[in-house]
Amino acid sequence: MLNKIRLRALAATLLGILLLVCLRRGLLVVFLALKILGHTDALDAWRGPVSHQTVVHAEMPIDVYGGGKSSPAILIIHGVNPTGKDSLDLVRISEGLAQAGYQVYVPDLAEMRKQHLRPEEAAHIKSVFQFIGRDAGMACFSYGCGPALIAAADPDIRSHVRFAVAFGGYFDSREALEFVVTGPQTSIAYLKWVYLGANSDVIADEGDQGRVRKIAQDRRDEKSYEHDAAENLSPDAKALLDIFSASNPQEFRERLRFGSETLQRRLDALSPSRYIRQIRAPLMLIHGVSDPVIPAQQSIEFAEAARANGLVYSLTLLRLYGHVNPVLPDFSATSTFGFYLPETLRFLRLVNRLIAWS
């Protein structure tokens, strides 16, 4: 009789511990999801402030969040934006992951701050990964996913990349640029002129580079520009301007095919599609269904290639996000059951999987 009582007490204790662990894990998932979406109070109150320092490696500043070398590490790569590692959204996500148990490394990639995406960035990312000094996960956003996933495929580190998360990334850089140049007119249509100015260095002549940057700036600001400025460009510079002025996909492809070989080599060197066979890490691909910058089809193509090459992967398409920022409808009975409940569950599953890797 006494043994039965003890067994029941032990079972009740174990059940209580299990429920407590599940409750704690569930709260962590919910609070981290809220923080990623911009609601920081719950996780900050529970886990407290995050330790943060900036170190320098190969003349590159790297923000390091969270615990010491005993914590699982994750390397985060920002997209092409002027704020780089200091983006408020990225800082919030980095803090949240540190509060969830990761040590988070966020390098500042200077050229990507200028919206200048170069093949050399993959080598820089690889160098930061090696600087971490142990196996680590990798997460990337937007155009930063190109060089990040190419780095993850590098033979020197690919067996040490525990997982790779790509949010709003691209698979083929030619297709991604085609969408930027010829896609639907949106409030961010100016981006193609930003990219043209930032990548004018594919032109050999420095004078032409400056003239193309001026034309790109004028078009970005919707100013008129001197017609002679374009007519007086060298053939290489004019061909580059013509590529970015294409009005439809067929015209873009034709102009790119006969355009700058330097640009074509750069695009190919920045395409994860050309490195998919070398990737070894499990992939978590996430994309906004109606992404206005990089179409969701890019992540769908990535998933299809991952499956064809026998990679472990998941693909989640979210209505919750546009590009890398939430897009939320007004609350109503319809949106609650048709949008918020299913999208919340889908998002929580992603966050839970990310915590499980820690």
Side-chain angles (χ1 to χ4, degrees), residues 91-111:
V91 169
R92 187 177 66 246
I93 291 169
S94 300
E95 288 181 349
L97 290 173
Q99 290 167 318
Y102 283 103
Q103 186 175 42
V104 184
Y105 293 76
V106 190
D108 204 41
L109 299 163
E111 290 300 314

Side-chain angles (χ1 to χ4, degrees), residues 101-144:
Y102 283 103
Q103 186 175 42
V104 184
Y105 293 76
V106 190
D108 204 41
L109 299 163
E111 290 300 314
M112 285 170 58
R113 270 183 178 264
K114 302 173 188 175
Q115 296 184 307
H116 187 197
L117 195 60
R118 307 177 305 162
E120 292 87 347
E121 300 302 351
H124 296 156
I125 293 166
K126 170 187 171 181
S127 177
V128 176
F129 190 92
Q130 292 173 318
F131 170 75
I132 294 174
R134 63 191 192 277
D135 291 0
M138 211 182 261
C140 58
F141 296 89
S142 189
Y143 282 100

